[in-house]
Amino acid sequence: MNQSSLEKLFRQHHARLLAEARSMLYDDAEAQKIAAVFLGIVFLCGLVFAAIRLVATDPALEVATTDTAIETIDSPSEDVMGTVRFDNVRLDSILSTVAAHYGKTVRFFNDEAKAMKFIMTWKPDAPLTDFIDRLNMFDGIRLSIQRDTIFVEITEGKEDKE
């Protein structure tokens, strides 16, 4: 082999190696881009998970969430049969809705009674006394009606019911 044919072979081989190296670099760059996107997604998922854990375990944030939930739950929902469902609703909200329907006012003897929450249903076409009797079945609370007023008081439990 002469010198020129060796140079020609070397150039061809060098060109082929250079093309393969460029191809590998391009593939590596694509792989790096894919890996970077994947790692970015994993990082964001980790941040979201940490934020959820923080909200779930931070008592200050939990109270704020609970207050918001109370505001949205305080309105009763009415089903197809005309029954109103109170789901974890404060007693003062329940009684203001019921009393307004029957044209009555409500008077609480204890502020603690206002904050009590109940899960119950109410049929607006039923007599008010039926609703009051159902509430009186709960320990610790006593309701009575005198003229146009519903009176609410906290009881000490079973001692007052005997």
Side-chain angles (χ1 to χ4, degrees):
M1 278 202 152
N2 63 17
Q3 180 75 18
S4 71
S5 59
L6 273 174
E7 284 181 17
K8 185 178 178 185
L9 266 173
F10 176 76
R11 284 187 197 138
Q12 287 174 349
H13 184 67
H14 180 68
R16 191 180 60 199
L17 285 176
L18 191 59
E20 286 178 14
R22 284 185 182 145
S23 171
M24 287 179 10
L25 283 176
Y26 179 74
D27 289 343
D28 283 348
E30 286 297 315
Q32 287 176 351
K33 287 179 187 175
I34 291 171
V37 168
F38 178 74
L39 288 175
I41 291 171
V42 169
F43 179 73
L44 286 175
C45 289
L47 283 177
V48 169
F49 179 74
I52 290 170
R53 296 277 302 182
L54 176 68
V55 169
T57 58
D58 189 357
L61 294 175
E62 195 170 302
V63 169
T65 305
T66 304
D67 288 345
T68 304
I70 289 171
E71 289 175 12
T72 58
I73 290 175
D74 272 351
S75 57
S77 60
E78 190 169 338
D79 68 8
V80 180
M81 302 299 286
T83 301
V84 178
R85 177 169 171 75
F86 298 100
D87 191 5
N88 199 26
V89 179
R90 290 172 47 115
L91 184 59
D92 57 349
S93 295
I94 293 172
L95 288 178
S96 67
T97 302
V98 172
H101 175 76
Y102 292 106
K104 307 285 186 194
T105 59
V106 180
R107 179 156 183 244
F108 287 88
F109 288 116
N110 315 85
D111 286 335
E112 298 87 30
K114 293 178 181 181
M116 295 175 78
K117 294 183 180 180
F118 291 88
I119 298 173
M120 61 185 313
T121 57
W122 166 55
K123 294 184 179 185
D125 57 344
L128 175 60
T129 53
D130 291 353
F131 184 75
I132 299 296
D133 290 342
R134 285 183 50 220
L135 275 172
N136 282 333
M137 287 187 213
F138 291 99
D139 285 337
I141 190 166
R142 180 77 184 141
L143 283 81
S144 60
I145 305 172
Q146 295 178 8
R147 295 192 183 122
D148 291 332
T149 305
I150 301 170
F151 293 96
V152 184
E153 62 184 322
I154 297 272
T155 62
E156 295 298 322
K158 295 179 182 175
E159 297 172 1
D160 290 346
K161 295 211 174 202
E162 292 177 0

